[in-house]
Amino acid sequence: MSAPNPEVVDEPAEPGVDPRGPARRWRSWRAQGPVVAVVALGGAAGASARYAASQVWPVAAGGFPWTTLWVNAVGCAVIGVFMVLVTDVWAAHRLVRPFFGTGVLGGFTTFSTYAVDVHRLVDGGRSRTGLGYLAATPCAALAAVWLAATVTRRLVAWRRR
C-alpha cells in the first residue's frame, strides 16, 4: 500500500465545498440543471395523468385496485415501446429520455400506491386478494414491457424491409 499523496484532494475540506472552485460547480449545475428540470416537469405531467385516471376510474372502498394495476401495466408497455424507439430507431435529444422515461412514465406509474393498495387489502381482511395483487402487478408490468418491446422491435424490423 502506498502513502497518500497530499497534493491529491479526494474529498472537500468542508462539507458542501468543492475544492476545485466555483467554476467547476457552475459547469456541473449547467450540465445537470436541465436534466433535473425536465425530470421534474415530466414527473408532474405523469403524476397528473395518473391522478386523472384515478378520478375517471375510481376504486370503491375495499375494492380491487384495477386502476393502479392498469396504470402500471400501461406505463410499462409505453416504456417498452419508448426504449426501443430511442435506442434502435431514433437518435433522441439528450433530454428526451429523462423527460419522458424518468419523468412522465416515472410519475405515471405508481408502485408506491401499489404498495399502499396491497396494505389496504391485507388490513381490510382480504389477504388472498392482497397477495394476488402483490404478485399480479409485477407480472403484468414485466409482461407489458416485454410484449411492447418485442412487438415494437418486430414492427420496426418489418417496416425497414
Side-chain angles (χ1 to χ4, degrees):
M1 183 177 233
S2 63
N5 183 349
E7 294 179 25
V8 176
V9 178
D10 288 342
E11 297 180 13
E14 296 178 45
V17 175
D18 189 339
R20 294 164 288 195
R24 173 100 176 176
R25 285 191 306 269
W26 176 247
R27 282 192 305 275
S28 177
W29 171 249
R30 286 189 53 196
Q32 294 302 312
V35 175
V36 171
V38 299
V39 169
L41 290 172
S48 296
R50 176 177 25 94
Y51 177 75
S54 73
Q55 296 303 301
V56 172
W57 299 290
V59 175
F64 190 84
W66 287 106
T67 304
T68 304
L69 177 71
W70 284 108
V71 160
N72 286 334
V74 167
C76 287
V78 173
I79 197 77
V81 171
F82 175 70
M83 290 309 294
V84 169
L85 294 177
V86 299
T87 58
D88 297 355
V89 177
W90 176 43
H93 185 276
R94 75 178 189 94
L95 296 177
V96 170
R97 286 172 74 171
F99 172 75
F100 192 72
T102 305
V104 173
L105 293 174
F108 182 66
T109 56
T110 173
F111 288 92
S112 59
T113 301
Y114 151 71
V116 169
D117 289 341
V118 169
H119 188 270
R120 284 183 184 156
L121 287 168
V122 171
D123 276 358
R126 300 182 63 206
S127 297
R128 285 188 214 180
T129 304
L131 291 173
Y133 177 58
L134 182 69
T137 295
C139 289
L142 290 170
V145 74
W146 176 82
L147 183 62
T150 300
V151 169
T152 304
R153 277 194 185 94
R154 288 186 180 169
L155 287 172
V156 167
W158 174 76
R159 190 160 184 220
R160 287 181 179 167
R161 284 193 245 162

